[in-house]
Amino acid sequence: MSARTGAQTSARAEILGRIRTALLDVDRDAESATAPIVAPPGARPPGADHPDGLVAHFAERVADYRATVVRCPPDGLTAAIAAALPAGARVVVPPGLPDDHLAGIPTPVPDSGLAASELDALDAVVTRCRLGIAETGTIVLDHTPDQGRRAIALVPDHHVCIVHADQIVPDVPDAIARLDPHRPLTWISGPSATSDIELDRVEGVHGPRRLHVIVVDPDPA
Amino acid sequence: MSATFVGMPAFPSAARTALGNTQLRHNLAHATGVIRAKRAAVVGEVENWEELRLAGAAVKERALRSLDAHLVQLEESLTARGAVVHWARDAAEANRIVVDLARAREIDEVVKVKSMVTQEIGLNEALEASGIAAWETDLAELIVQLGGDLPSHILVPAIHRNRAEIREIFTRRMGEVGRPAPDDLTDEPAVLAGAAREHLREKFLRARMAVSGANFAVADSGTLVVVESEGNGRMCLTLPEVLVSIVGIEKVVPTWAELDPLLRLLPRSSTGERMNPYTSTWTGVVPDDGPQEVHVVLLDNGRTRALGDPTGRQALRCIRCSACLNVCPVYERTGGHAYGSVYPGPIGAILNPLLRGTGDPQTDSLPYASTLCGACFEACPVRIDIPEVLVHLRAEVVDAHRADRLPKPEALAFRGAAWAFGHAQRLDRTEWLSSLAGRLLRRRGRTSLGRLPGPGAAWTDARDLPAPPTETFRAWWRRTDGGERP
Ligand code: SF4
């Protein structure tokens, strides 16, 4: 793979050469070219200094996308998961899902490298996430074992995602700072949607049509 | 089956045709109005929006100013994470790379994520010519592809079609290329979207290779970013064995942290959402998760030409949000097809000539497809001064045609303006004559001059010259004390 063909070597050399010629008038050493840009701070949601303000803001913003949001105390999680799943649902689960999560799932199907067509035959998926972003109502998955491969959170039509209150950050810059770019990341803001037909918003095209977010909050207001 | 923009007439005549299409005008006015209002609401929520725009512009500017170094770093980061990097000087070279990758693996169909760059290079046609089917998976792109026509808007490419037409296209065409539309298909948007879901799911589950573009490519980490709404992107980026991403060289962002302002600016400017439903990022090959073979094609295709133009290079900052389209009075009335390119609207009016160079009548007409009102600059999240570049390109077009036997009417008009503006008395007289003509016309109930005779005819071919006002500007100024008095 490292051996480049002749055409490739010359395309690379030629494009880089064209760029250098195009930029002859540019001062490459100017600070604006060398120092990374630091963007202005993100939003501080109302009450962001109290964890509860942040959680409330997050829940409100997720609900804005017509996702279902519930808040529960840690000892209510098992019941909250059970309530989120339709009776008899066949539910794929990532290998690292904690036991108190599993306890809420009547018929879990552990992901052992299921094929996409096998996933397509399942009804729902339960995962955790890496973090939540309050200002935009976003959950971010980095697909570690408590969340599983990217495919399992995608193919089933119903995604139940658990967020812990201390995983919620105020805005996008806080999230970027915490996330590891070398992990594959999936940022999810509400269910799949399209406005392609006469600009009518329709929830659900290819991604899960139902998104159910459970916020675990040690001291819910 | 697929249409192309090649051989499109120049903007003025294409626009005249488009203006006659009331369905198109109605849909466009509705769409641009709705998106404008949504954008305004979510932009208004961000207290430091102007600072954020400055940061977004600065990130892209910094990337461009050392583009060679960032690309070399991107290549290193990608290679270190198991991706294979290819370089393509032009469309033909990029298409050949994709075709060869498919052929070597005996792949005869690919699924595609909506990507402007693959339209720019005509990838679908190239694949088709090699016997490889390319399935568009974005709902609007599917409508456009099945309908055999062209995208008309960056963000909502099928905005020129209404629901009844879409139902008809699905019923007629889906069965020819895969799972047919259900017999009881109605024209409810949710039902139509459901039909697209069923039709495409079989393709997602079967496809061995996907082709995508990328919204951003982060040099220091080797991360590619795709921003989308429907989940078709996630399907393509996750399920197939082989993933090929075609990335224009201007998509580079120097560092992971510098993605921040861009991810805050793009969704609010584009769909008017705080965040789009799905953003996927991936860095090379992830063991046991997603495609185990990842290719990235870095494409020039005119970008270095644009980069060499010190005034025009800012156009390469564009993050394809389409905000400039939605605020443009010309675009709102003519729609995307009149621009004869996958890049329509204000950004298209500068990007196409910058990528292709001047000299061809279709491209040369684009810098004139504007009233220079400046709304596009105000809306642009990365502060591209589109009017400045338009004026600069107009000068280039006029220069390129200096040797033509007959001067362009625009050049004549500007010469006439120079003559009149060059002398106060002359201007007075010209204005007086023109206001007299205006009074005469209005008496006959006309508000527009229609077509001008002589060299002005070409100018009024595409513009209804408003009848001159009955009072000259200078008379109004004297009468009202510069607008102080009523
Ligand atoms: S020029 Fe600016 S406003 Fe227009 S599409 Fe590009 S980034 Fe958006």
Side-chain angles (χ1 to χ4, degrees):
Chain A
M1 296 238 171
S2 61
R4 252 194 211 104
T5 64
Q8 274 301 297
T9 314
S10 54
R12 180 182 191 275
E14 197 176 322
I15 292 170
L16 291 174
R18 287 179 191 170
I19 294 172
R20 285 171 195 136
T21 310
L23 292 173
L24 281 176
D25 66 305
V26 169
D27 174 11
R28 306 283 200 112
D29 300 325
E31 206 205 329
S32 61
T34 53
I37 306 299
V38 179
R44 295 281 113 188
D49 303 332
H50 305 281
D52 190 56
L54 208 55
V55 172
H57 195 66
F58 171 76
E60 191 189 301
R61 290 287 155 103
V62 174
D64 263 4
Y65 297 118
R66 298 190 220 171
T68 308
V69 192
V70 297
R71 290 167 75 173
C72 71
D75 60 5
L77 177 61
T78 306
I81 291 177
L85 295 166
R90 304 225 310 137
V91 183
V92 59
V93 294
L97 201 68
D99 286 342
D100 61 338
H101 294 51
L102 276 174
I105 305 169
T107 43
V109 181
D111 174 37
S112 49
L114 296 168
S117 53
E118 294 171 295
L119 289 172
D120 196 34
L122 300 175
D123 305 302
V125 57
V126 177
T127 73
R128 296 192 55 177
C129 67
R130 176 53 44 224
L131 53 81
I133 306 173
E135 180 63 17
T136 60
T138 304
I139 48 176
V140 182
L141 274 59
D142 67 358
H143 304 283
T144 43
D146 58 351
Q147 303 150 49
R149 296 180 301 139
R150 283 174 281 176
I152 72 164
L154 170 64
V155 179
D157 205 10
H158 186 170
H159 183 189
V160 178
C161 185
I162 291 103
V163 189
H164 283 260
D166 62 4
Q167 289 183 303
I168 298 172
V169 300
D171 199 357
V172 172
D174 314 281
I176 291 275
R178 281 203 198 183
L179 292 165
D180 173 4
H182 290 142
R183 296 292 318 161
L185 301 175
T186 307
W187 299 46
I188 298 173
S189 306
S192 158
T194 183
S195 300
D196 279 348
I197 300 170
E198 296 181 13
L199 235 59
D200 254 20
R201 187 178 166 99
V202 172
E203 267 83 39
V205 193
H206 305 294
R209 286 183 277 197
R210 268 164 304 156
L211 176 68
H212 195 119
V213 177
I214 300 174
V215 185
V216 185
D217 194 348
D219 38 22
Chain B
M1 160 170 153
S2 56
T4 117
F5 281 114
V6 177
M8 278 287 287
F11 184 83
S13 61
R16 185 170 283 282
T17 312
L19 285 171
N21 182 341
T22 42
Q23 171 79 53
L24 176 71
R25 292 188 64 177
H26 171 82
N27 289 4
L28 277 170
H30 173 65
T32 52
V34 170
I35 303 175
R36 269 202 307 271
K38 285 179 68 186
R39 174 190 169 276
V42 292
V43 163
E45 281 180 8
V46 180
E47 258 171 50
N48 47 10
W49 182 254
E50 289 309 315
E51 278 173 77
L52 200 55
R53 282 176 81 208
L54 284 168
V59 167
K60 294 291 287 192
E61 198 59 30
R62 177 170 116 77
L64 293 172
R65 282 172 172 259
S66 302
L67 187 57
D68 49 344
H70 295 309
L71 284 172
V72 169
Q73 193 191 17
L74 174 67
E75 180 185 45
E76 272 171 23
S77 317
L78 280 165
T79 311
R81 293 270 158 180
V84 182
V85 176
H86 309 255
W87 299 73
R89 279 166 282 212
D90 52 29
E93 208 159 42
N95 289 334
R96 199 173 324 122
I97 291 168
V98 181
V99 168
D100 288 349
L101 286 169
R103 281 207 175 135
R105 287 153 191 79
E106 294 179 351
I107 284 170
D108 60 5
E109 65 171 358
V110 303
V111 283
K112 287 188 63 209
V113 191
K114 175 181 169 187
S115 123
M116 308 201 58
V117 73
T118 60
Q119 281 168 35
E120 172 193 326
I121 64 176
L123 177 66
N124 291 10
E125 292 73 23
L127 287 168
E128 229 174 87
S130 307
I132 301 161
W135 307 118
E136 291 294 348
T137 63
D138 174 79
L139 178 55
E141 297 289 348
L142 176 74
I143 295 166
V144 167
Q145 188 180 40
L146 291 179
D149 63 349
L150 296 166
S152 54
H153 189 285
I154 295 182
L155 185 67
V156 277
I159 199 62
H160 57 292
R161 295 287 194 186
N162 60 32
R163 58 182 77 189
E165 291 175 296
I166 295 168
R167 176 182 172 275
E168 188 275 321
I169 291 170
F170 279 9
T171 305
R172 184 163 49 84
R173 293 278 292 125
M174 273 183 172
E176 291 171 29
V177 294
R179 187 181 170 127
D183 289 336
D184 55 353
L185 188 71
T186 69
D187 61 7
E188 270 303 297
V191 173
L192 292 168
R197 177 186 170 95
E198 297 306 320
H199 177 77
L200 287 172
R201 187 145 290 222
E202 105 183 335
K203 293 191 160 65
F204 288 134
L205 297 182
R206 187 177 68 198
R208 293 174 50 213
M209 176 165 154
V211 178
S212 81
N215 293 88
F216 307 106
V218 183
D220 75 339
S221 60
T223 307
L224 265 52
V225 182
V226 163
V227 170
E228 54 136 353
S229 296
E230 296 173 9
N232 60 312
R234 290 174 68 190
M235 289 280 179
C236 291
L237 301 174
T238 307
L239 298 184
E241 303 155 25
V242 184
L243 172 61
V244 184
S245 304
I246 303 185
V247 182
I249 53 176
E250 83 286 13
K251 297 290 174 191
V252 169
V253 172
T255 62
W256 171 252
E258 284 168 295
L259 261 187
D260 161 36
L262 301 169
L263 287 181
R264 278 190 275 166
L265 288 163
L266 179 55
R268 290 185 200 255
S269 302
S270 179
T271 46
E273 293 167 301
R274 298 188 182 108
M275 191 58 81
N276 49 288
Y278 301 133
T279 297
S280 298
T281 77
W282 72 101
T283 304
V285 175
V286 186
D288 301 321
D289 185 351
Q292 294 300 294
E293 204 185 326
V294 170
H295 296 265
V296 178
V297 181
L298 299 174
L299 175 76
D300 180 351
N301 206 34
R303 285 156 178 77
T304 49
R305 167 200 278 279
L307 190 67
D309 180 331
T311 309
R313 67 168 63 111
Q314 56 183 312
L316 295 176
R317 298 204 295 250
C318 175
I319 55 175
R320 312 273 188 267
C321 71
S322 75
C324 58
L325 278 65
N326 298 322
V327 298
C328 177
V330 176
Y331 176 83
E332 187 182 294
R333 286 163 183 80
T334 63
H337 290 151
Y339 294 81
S341 156
V342 292
Y343 303 112
I347 181 60
I350 61 173
L351 196 59
N352 293 303
L354 286 165
L355 294 176
R356 299 181 200 154
T358 50
D360 140 76
Q362 202 281 327
T363 310
D364 287 1
S365 67
L366 293 176
Y368 295 93
S370 163
T371 62
L372 300 180
C373 73
C376 46
F377 171 63
E378 295 299 316
C380 179
V382 286
R383 297 178 56 92
I384 299 171
D385 192 340
I386 295 177
E388 180 193 14
V389 182
L390 282 168
V391 170
H392 162 73
L393 289 171
R394 285 181 185 184
E396 240 176 52
V397 169
V398 172
D399 274 350
H401 291 271
R402 220 176 267 297
D404 296 1
R405 209 163 44 85
L406 283 172
K408 286 184 82 69
E410 287 88 350
L412 278 181
F414 284 126
R415 252 181 257 162
W419 177 83
F421 283 113
H423 198 284
Q425 258 179 350
R426 257 186 245 157
L427 181 58
D428 248 356
R429 230 177 304 138
T430 322
E431 278 192 349
W432 179 81
L433 276 173
S434 125
S435 101
L436 178 69
R439 281 194 300 256
L440 287 172
L441 280 168
R442 270 172 219 278
R443 223 175 286 157
R444 296 194 205 151
R446 287 183 61 181
T447 55
S448 129
L449 281 176
R451 294 183 57 142
L452 285 178
W459 176 270
T460 46
D461 261 349
R463 307 161 177 82
D464 280 331
L465 195 62
T470 47
E471 186 178 26
T472 70
F473 174 75
R474 288 151 68 99
W476 168 84
W477 185 268
R478 277 193 299 266
R479 180 172 62 75
T480 62
D481 220 356
E484 295 286 304
R485 283 182 282 119

